[in-house]
Amino acid sequence: MPKKSYFCPKQINLRILYNTGIFLAQYLLQAIGVFNPKIKAGVIGRRETFNKLKKSISATDKTLWFHCASLGEYEQGLPVFSEIKKIYPNHKVILSFFSPSGYDIRKNAPIADCVVYLPLDSKHNAKTLLDLVHPELTVFVKYDIWPNVLNELKRRQGRAILISALFRKEQIFFKPYGGFMKEALFAFEHIFTQNENAKQLLETIGYKAITVSGDTRFDRVSNQLKIDNTLDFIAEFKNNKLCYVAGSTWPEDEKLLVHYINTEAPKDVKFIIAPHNIKANQINQLQSDIKTKTVLFSEKESKDLSQAQVFIIDTIGILTKIYNYADIAYVGGALGTTGLHNTLEPAVFGIPILIGNTYDKFPEAIDMIANQGMFSIKNQSELNEISTKLINNSEFRTKTGAKNAYYINDNEGAIGLITQYLGVNSSK
């Protein structure tokens, strides 16, 4: 691995600035947490990290450390984590998250022996964390780069890889003043990137141990086809009619969808809406805005599902299987600033997909739009036009959806490349 030094006056300033920011962040987060339950949960959770690790790990345990920023990165890394456990069957697994949304949902993840919040990235915390975890192998997912912990790991000659990595030229790693952050990337003995562009960016800073493996999510969603995706209540609702599934929607998505349902959608087309936020007041508002017969998941046992045109899913954890029943999918998040949700989950079922117009940070969306299996809309008229065309033209709908299935199939294989590398290079 290159020994290039990135130390310069600007780097020293960045290092000081970063560490000062981390010091101040602990107090700032505590203050904000008084008003923000999500941030408060993270503050409280981080206080317990070291105690949880002390109770779960002994000095003689062999360990693996998997780190994810949030839930999306966990889902991205999980198939790799599962395969790594086969290579290291006698190791304990520590799983860490930075975000409360990841920790809260996966704090009892069966893949791990201990699930914790990642402490704030101070030098002291980095040393304490690694003293307790002492991992034989560390795996970070995608882009959550914390320089103090990674540089401390490198100082201890610990093994680490970064998987499903995605970079943009605007990031600090690729700026003349970004030496402190660049240094952290060299803690990884190997980086597996999602695409060639990320590889080329790494090469501009002298990093060479790179494999373009693709996105592990392709392998994960492909596995969805190998399991039973039957949901009897969805089949009852669909009643052999064309089904339009809108997944992970936000209010801005729902506004357009509700207007389309109320004014233009054929009455024999079924709609399933699975909102990202399932708070009761928002679900109730959504239901009241829809002017056709609507049923909630929470009341499905007492209703005749086949008679409703719209099914609102006020629960979590079943959207992936619901996509199995879709003829058309809309995936939320790209009309606003929240970020596009997972479009690969519906794509694997070979159906056309609609999204909003903010997707430039999602290469899979860029690809599927270029392949003409996905459509980006920015307003009501565009959603109405493409939705109606897909509903009315079955040949167009089928050919469009098939392009997404081909795209998934063509991009599988990331897990095999990563585990092959680890299998060859592991000491078990």
Side-chain angles (χ1 to χ4, degrees), residues 328-349:
I328 302 165
Y330 178 99
V331 177
L335 269 182
T337 59
T338 52
L340 179 63
H341 290 277
N342 195 331
T343 56
L344 300 182
E345 289 181 346
V348 75
F349 292 107

Side-chain angles (χ1 to χ4, degrees), residues 116 178 187 221 280 302 330 366-367 380:
V116 296
V221 297
S302 60
Y330 178 99
I366 294 171
D367 290 344
Q380 187 72 61

Side-chain angles (χ1 to χ4, degrees), residues 44-46 48-57 64-71 74 78 81 92-119 129 133:
I44 294 173
R46 286 184 174 85
E48 297 300 316
T49 292
F50 294 147
N51 286 334
K52 289 184 69 173
L53 291 172
K54 289 175 183 177
K55 292 177 182 178
S56 301
I57 306 166
L64 305 170
W65 175 25
F66 303 147
H67 175 67
C68 311
S70 190
L71 182 61
Y74 171 78
L78 181 58
F81 302 159
K92 284 188 174 180
V93 171
I94 294 85
L95 173 64
S96 63
F97 289 97
F98 183 79
S99 167
S101 60
Y103 177 86
D104 288 344
I105 295 175
R106 292 291 178 258
K107 59 187 174 184
N108 297 312
I111 192 75
D113 297 281
C114 182
V115 183
V116 296
Y117 279 96
L118 184 73
L129 178 70
V133 177

Side-chain angles (χ1 to χ4, degrees), residues 13-27 148:
N13 290 339
L14 179 60
R15 188 185 299 270
I16 294 172
L17 182 64
Y18 178 86
N19 287 321
T20 302
I22 291 292
F23 175 77
L24 294 175
Q26 60 184 322
Y27 300 104
N148 281 323

Side-chain angles (χ1 to χ4, degrees), residues 135-153:
E136 186 170 328
L137 173 68
T138 298
V139 182
F140 274 41
V141 182
K142 197 172 182 178
Y143 53 55
D144 212 33
I145 309 300
W146 298 101
N148 281 323
V149 73
L150 285 170
N151 288 329
E152 179 64 21
L153 187 64

Side-chain angles (χ1 to χ4, degrees), residues 18 134 151 228 243 360 366 420:
Y18 178 86
H134 51 82
N151 288 329
D228 182 4
C243 186
D360 57 299
I366 294 171
Q420 181 182 28

Side-chain angles (χ1 to χ4, degrees), residues 403-415:
K403 292 174 182 177
N404 290 333
Y406 295 146
Y407 174 68
I408 298 292
N409 186 65
D410 287 345
N411 284 277
E412 292 180 57
I415 295 173

